[in-house]
Amino acid sequence: MLKILASRLRQGHRTNAFPEEVPPMPDRFRGLPELPGEPCPGGCRACVDACPTEAIGEGPRITLDLGRCLFCTACTDACPEHTLRFTDEFRLATRAREDLLAAPGEAYRVAGALEAKALALFGRSLKLRVVSAGGCNGCEVDVNVLGTIGWDLGRFGIQVVASPRHADAVLICGPVTRNMELALAKTLAATPDPKLVIAVGACAISGGPYRDQEEQLCGAVGAGIPVDLFIPGCPPHPLTILDGLLRLLDRVK
């Protein structure tokens, strides 16, 4: 016991200082894409053909749907001009599905705060019920990371609870498989109104890499569930998830 206490004292304070300070991001982090502003020469569509989820739209200019994007770099690897790249911008959460469309020359509209009445209810205390609706557990792991000492989600009054009856919001991960459809519906029904719905990851937003499979419903949106906060990624970095939650609660601007 004394050894454990001594070890803790040596470690000191280990929780990062976000949102006052942004913790260092890993070198391989892939954030908001930077898209070419001019049409690609020769009608090149290498990135469009390389994308496994059809996230890249064709037209006069390239667009990228972050709700489908797996951040896999298949597009950047295929681009012969190297004009398409991912930046280290981690602020990706939005309040509307259409805001997930990134376009060159247009500002990306990150999530705004809840309306005043909802903010009065949830602004100081938000209880989350996490539902893994058929995903690979990648998003669930990054949500769990927020409960560790390095992130300490509880300092913001946000906690994961074991029962939907104690929850203010249902956080959905995974593409919503048909086997999980009823369980998710029961969870939503058991969560008291008013409640929030948060879709975390490409699967929960659009089906992700499973979008063409019959066994799933293309995420919360495909299942017809109204979503209050979209957090893209595959999986989203814990900082992206935390930033989205704090934006919803008007804790960061």
Side-chain angles (χ1 to χ4, degrees), residues 83-154:
T83 54
L84 176 60
R85 71 181 188 92
F86 289 98
T87 70
D88 59 358
E89 177 54 65
F90 63 89
R91 303 170 184 87
L92 303 176
T94 68
R95 294 292 308 278
R97 176 67 179 90
E98 56 269 24
D99 290 344
L100 291 170
L101 187 68
E106 297 182 13
Y108 185 75
R109 288 181 288 184
V110 295
L114 290 167
E115 294 71 24
K117 187 176 180 180
L119 198 58
L121 286 173
F122 306 125
R124 298 181 63 183
S125 175
L126 182 68
K127 309 300 182 188
L128 305 174
R129 172 58 179 163
V130 179
V131 177
S132 179
C136 69
N137 282 338
C139 294
E140 292 87 336
V141 167
D142 275 355
V143 171
N144 289 342
V145 165
L146 294 176
T148 63
I149 192 171
W151 297 88
D152 190 15
L153 185 65

Side-chain angles (χ1 to χ4, degrees), residues 24-235:
M25 302 298 286
D27 294 337
R28 298 177 63 184
F29 176 76
R30 301 156 195 160
L32 187 68
E34 186 175 273
L35 305 172
E38 301 297 330
C40 296
C44 177
R45 48 170 291 140
C47 60
V48 178
D49 294 335
C51 182
T53 58
E54 300 180 0
I56 300 178
E58 289 186 275
R61 297 179 300 170
I62 294 275
T63 58
L64 201 158
D65 183 357
L66 295 187
R68 291 186 178 185
C69 183
L70 305 182
F71 296 80
C72 64
T73 73
C75 55
T76 56
D77 294 343
C79 180
E81 302 292 327
H82 303 293
T83 54
L84 176 60
R85 71 181 188 92
F86 289 98
T87 70
D88 59 358
E89 177 54 65
F90 63 89
R91 303 170 184 87
L92 303 176
T94 68
R95 294 292 308 278
R97 176 67 179 90
E98 56 269 24
D99 290 344
L100 291 170
L101 187 68
E106 297 182 13
Y108 185 75
R109 288 181 288 184
V110 295
L114 290 167
E115 294 71 24
K117 187 176 180 180
L119 198 58
L121 286 173
F122 306 125
R124 298 181 63 183
S125 175
L126 182 68
K127 309 300 182 188
L128 305 174
R129 172 58 179 163
V130 179
V131 177
S132 179
C136 69
N137 282 338
C139 294
E140 292 87 336
V141 167
D142 275 355
V143 171
N144 289 342
V145 165
L146 294 176
T148 63
I149 192 171
W151 297 88
D152 190 15
L153 185 65
R155 64 189 156 128
F156 301 107
I158 307 172
Q159 292 177 313
V160 176
V161 295
S163 169
R165 298 189 186 283
H166 303 154
D168 303 307
V170 178
L171 190 152
I172 302 172
C173 304
V176 188
T177 58
R178 295 193 184 278
N179 283 342
M180 283 299 296
E181 184 180 10
L182 179 59
L184 178 58
K186 287 185 175 181
T187 300
L188 289 166
T191 306
D193 289 325
K195 54 178 166 279
L196 305 174
V197 176
I198 301 167
V200 174
C203 291
I205 297 172
S206 66
Y210 311 108
R211 57 190 295 269
D212 294 325
Q213 297 186 9
E214 297 179 355
E215 297 83 2
Q216 56 82 41
L217 303 175
C218 288
V221 176
I225 300 170
V227 176
D228 299 283
L229 181 68
F230 298 86
I231 304 178
C234 185

